[in-house]
Amino acid sequence: MTTPFDWITMAVFAAIVILFLQRSGAPVARDTMLHYLPPALGCALANYLGNHDQPGWATLLVGAVIAYVAIVLRPFGRD
């Protein structure tokens, strides 16, 4: 945990895990486990890029992960 991307991607990944755990206990399934794969892989790739001197791409990818979560998983939406 030496770069800001380590902390940022871990925080985003933790939020995704909490969302998954909360929804897995719901009586009606809104999404599948595969819906969580793209943001998890995006966090891993963003962390890798951030640790290898490519902060621009890493920042863009973190933004894309957050946008995916907001649009596809809709953590605050009411369906």
Side-chain angles (χ1 to χ4, degrees):
M1 303 289 284
T2 58
T3 68
F5 289 102
D6 292 331
W7 293 99
I8 293 168
T9 55
M10 284 300 293
V12 172
F13 183 74
I16 293 168
V17 169
I18 291 169
L19 179 65
F20 172 74
L21 290 173
Q22 182 217 7
R23 289 192 176 166
S24 66
V28 178
R30 290 180 42 183
D31 38 42
T32 66
M33 193 179 251
L34 290 176
H35 288 109
Y36 296 89
L37 185 62
L41 293 176
C43 285
L45 184 57
N47 189 18
Y48 176 82
L49 292 173
N51 289 340
H52 287 85
D53 297 326
Q54 296 186 15
W57 289 111
T59 304
L60 186 67
L61 194 53
V62 169
V65 166
I66 292 171
Y68 177 90
V69 170
I71 294 169
V72 176
L73 298 178
R74 291 182 292 217
F76 303 113
R78 296 181 189 231
D79 294 307

XYZ file of all heavy atoms in Angstrom:
604
model
N 0.848 -1.169 0.000
C 0.000 0.000 0.000
C 0.899 1.241 0.000
O 1.032 1.910 1.007
C -0.923 -0.016 1.193
C -1.819 -1.228 1.329
S -3.128 -1.337 0.149
C -4.263 -0.152 0.769
N 1.484 1.520 -1.146
C 2.447 2.617 -1.217
C 1.986 3.785 -2.067
O 2.487 4.881 -1.892
C 3.794 2.115 -1.761
O 3.586 1.536 -3.053
C 4.396 1.077 -0.825
N 1.066 3.547 -2.987
C 0.612 4.629 -3.864
C -0.835 4.976 -3.554
O -1.565 4.178 -2.957
C 0.728 4.235 -5.355
O -0.211 3.195 -5.633
C 2.134 3.754 -5.695
N -1.265 6.164 -3.979
C -2.681 6.512 -3.789
C -3.622 5.542 -4.507
O -4.743 5.317 -4.054
C -2.792 7.911 -4.382
C -1.410 8.454 -4.377
C -0.496 7.287 -4.501
N -3.155 4.954 -5.604
C -4.015 4.023 -6.336
C -4.258 2.745 -5.551
O -5.299 2.109 -5.712
C -3.425 3.726 -7.718
C -3.534 4.894 -8.633
C -2.441 5.702 -8.878
C -4.738 5.220 -9.220
C -2.546 6.798 -9.704
C -4.857 6.319 -10.050
C -3.760 7.108 -10.289
N -3.319 2.359 -4.711
C -3.559 1.213 -3.831
C -4.759 1.484 -2.931
O -5.652 0.642 -2.790
C -2.331 0.927 -2.964
C -1.142 0.431 -3.761
O -1.346 -0.201 -4.809
O -0.009 0.688 -3.321
N -4.780 2.648 -2.321
C -5.863 3.010 -1.396
C -7.181 3.247 -2.127
O -8.243 2.800 -1.676
C -5.475 4.248 -0.592
C -4.356 3.988 0.333
C -3.027 4.278 0.130
C -4.419 3.329 1.594
N -2.281 3.848 1.195
C -3.106 3.267 2.113
C -5.459 2.793 2.342
C -2.824 2.688 3.344
C -5.159 2.223 3.571
C -3.868 2.171 4.058
N -7.131 3.939 -3.252
C -8.364 4.262 -3.995
C -9.024 2.997 -4.529
O -10.236 2.793 -4.359
C -8.061 5.257 -5.128
C -7.639 6.609 -4.545
C -9.245 5.410 -6.066
C -7.036 7.557 -5.566
N -8.230 2.144 -5.182
C -8.828 0.942 -5.770
C -9.304 -0.029 -4.691
O -10.327 -0.698 -4.885
C -7.842 0.242 -6.727
O -6.621 -0.034 -6.033
C -7.576 1.095 -7.946
N -8.609 -0.084 -3.565
C -9.082 -0.942 -2.479
C -10.400 -0.425 -1.900
O -11.284 -1.218 -1.561
C -8.033 -1.056 -1.381
C -6.877 -1.969 -1.740
S -7.370 -3.654 -2.083
C -7.909 -4.181 -0.482
N -10.538 0.881 -1.794
C -11.790 1.453 -1.281
C -12.946 1.184 -2.241
O -14.043 0.802 -1.822
C -11.626 2.950 -1.046
N -12.704 1.362 -3.532
C -13.760 1.101 -4.528
C -14.105 -0.385 -4.541
O -15.287 -0.765 -4.581
C -13.318 1.596 -5.924
C -14.297 1.166 -6.992
C -13.157 3.107 -5.931
N -13.090 -1.246 -4.503
C -13.337 -2.682 -4.494
C -14.106 -3.099 -3.244
O -15.021 -3.927 -3.313
C -12.017 -3.448 -4.588
C -12.198 -4.929 -4.649
C -12.657 -5.540 -5.804
C -11.928 -5.717 -3.548
C -12.840 -6.915 -5.860
C -12.102 -7.096 -3.590
C -12.555 -7.689 -4.749
N -13.766 -2.527 -2.097
C -14.487 -2.838 -0.864
C -15.953 -2.429 -0.971
O -16.838 -3.154 -0.505
C -13.824 -2.147 0.323
N -16.216 -1.294 -1.588
C -17.601 -0.858 -1.775
C -18.355 -1.822 -2.690
O -19.534 -2.128 -2.448
C -17.625 0.556 -2.352
N -17.689 -2.323 -3.716
C -18.318 -3.291 -4.624
C -18.618 -4.592 -3.879
O -19.689 -5.185 -4.042
C -17.418 -3.537 -5.850
C -17.330 -2.271 -6.689
C -17.940 -4.693 -6.692
C -16.253 -2.307 -7.749
N -17.693 -5.043 -3.054
C -17.902 -6.270 -2.267
C -19.066 -6.097 -1.301
O -19.909 -6.994 -1.170
C -16.614 -6.657 -1.520
C -16.875 -7.749 -0.499
C -15.550 -7.096 -2.503
N -19.133 -4.964 -0.635
C -20.245 -4.712 0.296
C -21.574 -4.701 -0.439
O -22.564 -5.261 0.034
C -20.005 -3.410 1.069
C -18.841 -3.595 2.037
C -21.257 -2.961 1.810
C -18.348 -2.320 2.666
N -21.609 -4.077 -1.610
C -22.834 -4.060 -2.414
C -23.232 -5.478 -2.808
O -24.408 -5.850 -2.722
C -22.642 -3.193 -3.658
C -23.829 -3.088 -4.603
C -24.998 -2.383 -3.915
C -23.424 -2.339 -5.867
N -22.254 -6.289 -3.217
C -22.541 -7.674 -3.585
C -23.085 -8.462 -2.395
O -24.062 -9.197 -2.526
C -21.286 -8.348 -4.133
C -21.458 -9.820 -4.354
C -22.212 -10.287 -5.412
C -20.879 -10.735 -3.497
C -22.387 -11.636 -5.620
C -21.047 -12.086 -3.687
C -21.799 -12.543 -4.753
N -22.451 -8.323 -1.237
C -22.903 -9.056 -0.062
C -24.294 -8.626 0.379
O -25.115 -9.459 0.788
C -21.910 -8.874 1.086
C -20.560 -9.569 0.900
C -19.610 -9.186 2.020
C -20.742 -11.068 0.818
N -24.566 -7.340 0.283
C -25.888 -6.858 0.668
C -26.957 -7.416 -0.269
O -28.011 -7.850 0.160
C -25.917 -5.334 0.654
C -27.248 -4.782 1.081
C -27.657 -3.553 0.315
O -27.006 -3.154 -0.640
N -28.746 -2.970 0.730
N -26.660 -7.414 -1.554
C -27.650 -7.888 -2.526
C -27.769 -9.394 -2.560
O -28.809 -9.922 -2.968
C -27.306 -7.357 -3.910
C -27.560 -5.877 -3.987
C -27.508 -5.410 -5.393
N -27.847 -4.007 -5.476
C -27.630 -3.267 -6.529
N -27.072 -3.800 -7.597
N -27.974 -2.004 -6.534
N -26.733 -10.118 -2.178
C -26.823 -11.573 -2.212
C -27.785 -12.096 -1.145
O -28.290 -13.205 -1.260
C -25.446 -12.208 -2.031
O -24.943 -11.939 -0.742
N -28.048 -11.308 -0.115
C -28.994 -11.712 0.916
C -30.414 -11.274 0.640
O -31.316 -11.593 1.405
N -30.637 -10.564 -0.453
C -31.980 -10.089 -0.778
C -32.841 -11.252 -1.267
O -32.343 -12.191 -1.891
C -31.916 -9.013 -1.852
N -34.145 -11.189 -1.016
C -35.025 -12.282 -1.452
C -35.147 -12.384 -2.977
O -35.332 -13.465 -3.512
C -36.370 -11.958 -0.817
C -36.282 -10.552 -0.366
C -34.855 -10.192 -0.240
N -35.009 -11.265 -3.673
C -35.107 -11.251 -5.129
C -33.765 -10.816 -5.699
O -33.255 -9.752 -5.370
C -36.219 -10.283 -5.608
C -36.282 -10.245 -7.110
C -37.551 -10.685 -5.015
N -33.203 -11.646 -6.567
C -31.900 -11.332 -7.161
C -32.061 -10.277 -8.246
O -32.856 -10.437 -9.167
C -31.281 -12.592 -7.739
N -31.326 -9.176 -8.110
C -31.359 -8.110 -9.112
C -30.285 -8.287 -10.165
O -30.426 -7.836 -11.285
C -31.162 -6.751 -8.442
C -32.320 -6.317 -7.610
C -32.095 -4.979 -6.978
N -31.477 -4.034 -7.882
C -31.130 -2.814 -7.559
N -31.337 -2.387 -6.341
N -30.584 -2.011 -8.422
N -29.178 -8.894 -9.786
C -28.075 -9.051 -10.718
C -27.334 -10.350 -10.408
O -27.555 -10.970 -9.385
C -27.119 -7.862 -10.640
C -26.926 -7.352 -9.233
O -26.798 -8.165 -8.310
O -26.908 -6.148 -9.048
N -26.457 -10.747 -11.327
C -25.699 -11.974 -11.140
C -24.273 -11.642 -10.719
O -23.857 -10.482 -10.747
C -25.658 -12.797 -12.438
O -24.910 -12.070 -13.415
C -27.058 -13.080 -12.956
N -23.547 -12.667 -10.386
C -22.158 -12.481 -9.982
C -21.319 -11.925 -11.137
O -20.346 -11.203 -10.917
C -21.600 -13.816 -9.506
C -20.305 -13.712 -8.778
S -19.762 -15.334 -8.257
C -20.029 -15.186 -6.523
N -21.690 -12.225 -12.359
C -20.943 -11.743 -13.521
C -21.015 -10.223 -13.675
O -20.125 -9.633 -14.280
C -21.433 -12.418 -14.800
C -21.086 -13.899 -14.916
C -21.702 -14.486 -16.175
C -19.594 -14.110 -14.893
N -22.039 -9.600 -13.133
C -22.139 -8.143 -13.189
C -21.044 -7.463 -12.381
O -20.725 -6.297 -12.606
C -23.504 -7.670 -12.681
C -24.614 -7.977 -13.617
N -25.551 -8.947 -13.339
C -24.944 -7.461 -14.815
C -26.419 -9.005 -14.330
N -26.063 -8.114 -15.246
N -20.473 -8.175 -11.435
C -19.443 -7.611 -10.563
C -18.025 -7.865 -11.081
O -17.075 -7.307 -10.553
C -19.595 -8.166 -9.148
C -20.890 -7.741 -8.520
C -22.051 -8.486 -8.668
C -20.970 -6.557 -7.806
C -23.249 -8.074 -8.114
C -22.159 -6.144 -7.239
C -23.287 -6.913 -7.401
O -24.482 -6.498 -6.858
N -17.885 -8.689 -12.107
C -16.570 -9.003 -12.651
C -15.897 -7.813 -13.342
O -14.720 -7.552 -13.072
C -16.667 -10.205 -13.596
C -15.351 -10.719 -14.160
C -14.447 -11.197 -13.038
C -15.621 -11.852 -15.144
N -16.579 -7.063 -14.219
C -15.901 -5.928 -14.864
C -15.358 -4.872 -13.890
O -14.198 -4.466 -14.036
C -16.973 -5.343 -15.791
C -17.886 -6.476 -16.078
C -17.908 -7.291 -14.817
N -16.120 -4.450 -12.874
C -15.521 -3.456 -11.979
C -14.394 -4.029 -11.116
O -13.442 -3.316 -10.796
C -16.690 -2.971 -11.120
C -17.703 -4.033 -11.187
C -17.541 -4.670 -12.530
N -14.466 -5.309 -10.771
C -13.385 -5.915 -9.991
C -12.103 -5.977 -10.818
O -11.018 -5.625 -10.331
C -13.785 -7.310 -9.525
N -12.220 -6.397 -12.068
C -11.053 -6.427 -12.944
C -10.549 -5.017 -13.244
O -9.345 -4.796 -13.361
C -11.376 -7.161 -14.243
C -11.641 -8.657 -14.118
C -12.045 -9.242 -15.459
C -10.437 -9.367 -13.549
N -11.478 -4.077 -13.353
C -11.089 -2.682 -13.582
C -10.291 -2.122 -12.420
O -9.319 -1.389 -12.623
N -10.677 -2.468 -11.204
C -9.910 -2.031 -10.026
C -8.509 -2.619 -10.046
O -7.524 -1.921 -9.745
C -10.629 -2.435 -8.741
S -12.065 -1.439 -8.348
N -8.401 -3.885 -10.387
C -7.088 -4.535 -10.425
C -6.204 -3.900 -11.493
O -5.024 -3.613 -11.256
C -7.251 -6.030 -10.688
N -6.770 -3.655 -12.665
C -5.992 -3.052 -13.747
C -5.620 -1.609 -13.430
O -4.493 -1.176 -13.707
C -6.761 -3.130 -15.065
C -6.032 -2.619 -16.310
C -4.723 -3.372 -16.506
C -6.926 -2.749 -17.523
N -6.527 -0.862 -12.846
C -6.231 0.518 -12.468
C -5.119 0.567 -11.434
O -4.232 1.425 -11.499
C -7.484 1.211 -11.939
N -5.140 -0.342 -10.481
C -4.086 -0.403 -9.482
C -2.746 -0.740 -10.138
O -1.725 -0.132 -9.834
C -4.422 -1.427 -8.411
C -3.478 -1.368 -7.242
O -2.777 -0.394 -7.039
N -3.447 -2.430 -6.476
N -2.756 -1.680 -11.057
C -1.527 -2.043 -11.762
C -0.973 -0.856 -12.546
O 0.220 -0.562 -12.486
C -1.795 -3.224 -12.695
C -0.596 -3.597 -13.526
C 0.409 -4.400 -12.998
C -0.464 -3.145 -14.830
C 1.509 -4.738 -13.753
C 0.633 -3.468 -15.589
C 1.626 -4.275 -15.043
O 2.717 -4.599 -15.802
N -1.839 -0.183 -13.287
C -1.389 0.960 -14.070
C -0.888 2.090 -13.184
O 0.112 2.734 -13.492
C -2.529 1.460 -14.973
C -2.940 0.521 -16.102
C -4.183 1.060 -16.802
C -1.810 0.308 -17.083
N -1.576 2.332 -12.087
C -1.151 3.378 -11.173
C 0.187 3.090 -10.522
O 0.962 4.009 -10.262
N 0.460 1.820 -10.291
C 1.735 1.430 -9.690
C 2.874 1.376 -10.700
O 4.024 1.238 -10.318
C 1.604 0.084 -8.988
C 0.782 0.172 -7.730
O 0.609 1.240 -7.161
N 0.248 -0.957 -7.302
N 2.544 1.441 -11.976
C 3.566 1.366 -13.018
C 3.628 2.655 -13.840
O 3.712 2.629 -15.065
C 3.314 0.150 -13.906
C 3.650 -1.134 -13.224
N 2.766 -1.791 -12.398
C 4.794 -1.857 -13.197
C 3.337 -2.874 -11.914
N 4.573 -2.938 -12.383
N 3.563 3.769 -13.144
C 3.802 5.103 -13.724
C 2.884 5.452 -14.898
O 3.327 6.049 -15.881
C 5.267 5.238 -14.149
C 6.205 5.143 -12.972
O 5.809 5.609 -11.877
O 7.312 4.600 -13.131
N 1.622 5.102 -14.787
C 0.627 5.492 -15.781
C -0.606 6.028 -15.060
O -1.694 5.470 -15.164
C 0.281 4.310 -16.676
C 1.464 3.834 -17.490
C 1.080 2.755 -18.467
O -0.086 2.525 -18.758
N 2.077 2.081 -18.987
N -0.443 7.140 -14.334
C -1.551 7.642 -13.516
C -2.734 8.149 -14.336
O -3.870 8.114 -13.870
C -0.916 8.758 -12.691
C 0.242 9.200 -13.500
C 0.750 7.969 -14.197
N -2.487 8.627 -15.533
C -3.593 9.107 -16.370
C -4.563 7.995 -16.728
O -5.782 8.130 -16.578
N -4.007 6.883 -17.201
C -4.854 5.744 -17.553
C -5.522 5.146 -16.323
O -6.678 4.723 -16.381
C -4.041 4.670 -18.278
C -3.647 5.065 -19.655
C -2.393 5.346 -20.093
C -4.518 5.242 -20.782
N -2.435 5.690 -21.418
C -3.728 5.630 -21.873
C -5.887 5.107 -20.968
C -4.256 5.880 -23.125
C -6.419 5.362 -22.224
C -5.612 5.745 -23.286
N -4.785 5.117 -15.225
C -5.347 4.565 -13.991
C -6.521 5.405 -13.498
O -7.555 4.863 -13.092
C -4.266 4.475 -12.917
N -6.370 6.719 -13.554
C -7.453 7.614 -13.132
C -8.665 7.458 -14.033
O -9.809 7.407 -13.562
C -6.963 9.070 -13.139
O -5.817 9.177 -12.300
C -8.041 10.018 -12.667
N -8.430 7.369 -15.322
C -9.524 7.171 -16.279
C -10.248 5.854 -16.013
O -11.481 5.791 -16.043
C -8.964 7.199 -17.706
C -9.968 7.146 -18.836
C -10.809 8.413 -18.861
C -9.242 6.981 -20.155
N -9.497 4.822 -15.714
C -10.101 3.513 -15.458
C -10.883 3.489 -14.145
O -11.960 2.889 -14.076
C -9.021 2.431 -15.456
C -9.491 0.999 -15.525
C -10.435 0.765 -16.696
C -8.294 0.083 -15.630
N -10.378 4.160 -13.125
C -11.133 4.253 -11.865
C -12.448 4.988 -12.101
O -13.501 4.584 -11.596
C -10.296 4.939 -10.761
C -11.160 5.287 -9.561
C -9.142 4.056 -10.335
N -12.407 6.036 -12.901
C -13.636 6.749 -13.245
C -14.607 5.868 -14.015
O -15.823 5.915 -13.776
N -14.082 5.043 -14.917
C -14.936 4.129 -15.675
C -15.557 3.072 -14.758
O -16.725 2.709 -14.930
C -14.125 3.454 -16.782
N -14.804 2.601 -13.791
C -15.337 1.621 -12.835
C -16.465 2.244 -12.021
O -17.531 1.638 -11.832
C -14.216 1.087 -11.916
C -14.800 0.354 -10.716
C -13.279 0.185 -12.683
N -16.259 3.446 -11.547
C -17.299 4.123 -10.755
C -18.532 4.381 -11.612
O -19.666 4.208 -11.155
C -16.737 5.415 -10.136
C -15.694 5.051 -9.084
C -17.838 6.264 -9.532
C -14.912 6.221 -8.543
N -18.331 4.767 -12.877
C -19.465 4.985 -13.784
C -20.219 3.677 -14.032
O -21.455 3.655 -14.047
C -18.976 5.577 -15.099
N -19.495 2.581 -14.213
C -20.128 1.278 -14.412
C -20.994 0.909 -13.211
O -22.127 0.464 -13.364
C -19.065 0.204 -14.654
C -19.623 -1.183 -14.793
C -19.992 -1.680 -16.031
C -19.800 -2.018 -13.683
C -20.516 -2.950 -16.171
C -20.319 -3.283 -13.806
C -20.680 -3.747 -15.061
O -21.209 -5.006 -15.191
N -20.426 1.084 -12.027
C -21.179 0.752 -10.815
C -22.433 1.616 -10.713
O -23.521 1.125 -10.387
C -20.294 0.898 -9.560
C -21.117 0.788 -8.296
C -19.188 -0.148 -9.565
N -22.305 2.895 -11.011
C -23.449 3.803 -10.908
C -24.525 3.493 -11.944
O -25.719 3.558 -11.644
C -22.978 5.246 -11.054
N -24.108 3.130 -13.163
C -25.076 2.931 -14.253
C -25.638 1.511 -14.270
O -26.848 1.310 -14.384
C -24.427 3.275 -15.610
C -24.112 4.762 -15.666
C -25.316 2.861 -16.763
C -23.237 5.172 -16.822
N -24.775 0.509 -14.146
C -25.216 -0.881 -14.292
C -25.718 -1.458 -12.966
O -26.800 -2.046 -12.913
C -24.075 -1.746 -14.872
C -24.484 -3.204 -14.933
C -23.677 -1.245 -16.247
N -24.942 -1.302 -11.911
C -25.329 -1.901 -10.630
C -26.310 -1.032 -9.842
O -27.051 -1.543 -9.013
C -24.088 -2.187 -9.784
C -23.104 -3.186 -10.390
C -21.894 -3.348 -9.500
C -23.769 -4.509 -10.652
N -26.322 0.266 -10.094
C -27.232 1.213 -9.447
C -27.374 0.982 -7.943
O -28.428 0.548 -7.463
C -28.596 1.172 -10.115
C -28.595 1.721 -11.507
C -29.962 1.692 -12.065
N -30.344 0.308 -12.254
C -31.049 -0.149 -13.249
N -31.518 0.677 -14.124
N -31.329 -1.410 -13.355
N -26.347 1.310 -7.187
C -26.414 1.046 -5.751
C -27.460 1.877 -5.013
O -27.945 1.467 -3.972
C -24.996 1.387 -5.251
C -24.452 2.297 -6.266
C -25.092 1.922 -7.563
N -27.819 3.031 -5.547
C -28.786 3.891 -4.870
C -30.120 3.925 -5.586
O -31.034 4.616 -5.153
C -28.236 5.317 -4.747
C -26.922 5.367 -4.022
C -25.772 5.728 -4.684
C -26.833 5.004 -2.682
C -24.559 5.767 -4.027
C -25.626 5.052 -2.006
C -24.476 5.420 -2.695
N -30.269 3.183 -6.676
C -31.514 3.176 -7.442
C -32.564 2.298 -6.813
O -32.282 1.339 -6.102
N -33.769 2.647 -7.057
C -34.883 1.840 -6.547
C -35.600 1.225 -7.737
O -36.209 1.900 -8.532
C -35.843 2.699 -5.748
C -35.209 3.259 -4.528
C -36.195 4.082 -3.756
N -35.502 4.774 -2.697
C -35.880 4.762 -1.447
N -36.965 4.123 -1.102
N -35.209 5.403 -0.537
N -35.502 -0.098 -7.811
C -36.162 -0.816 -8.908
C -37.390 -1.518 -8.431
O -37.466 -2.059 -7.409
C -35.196 -1.835 -9.515
C -34.014 -1.161 -10.197
O -34.274 -0.300 -11.034
O -32.871 -1.502 -9.856
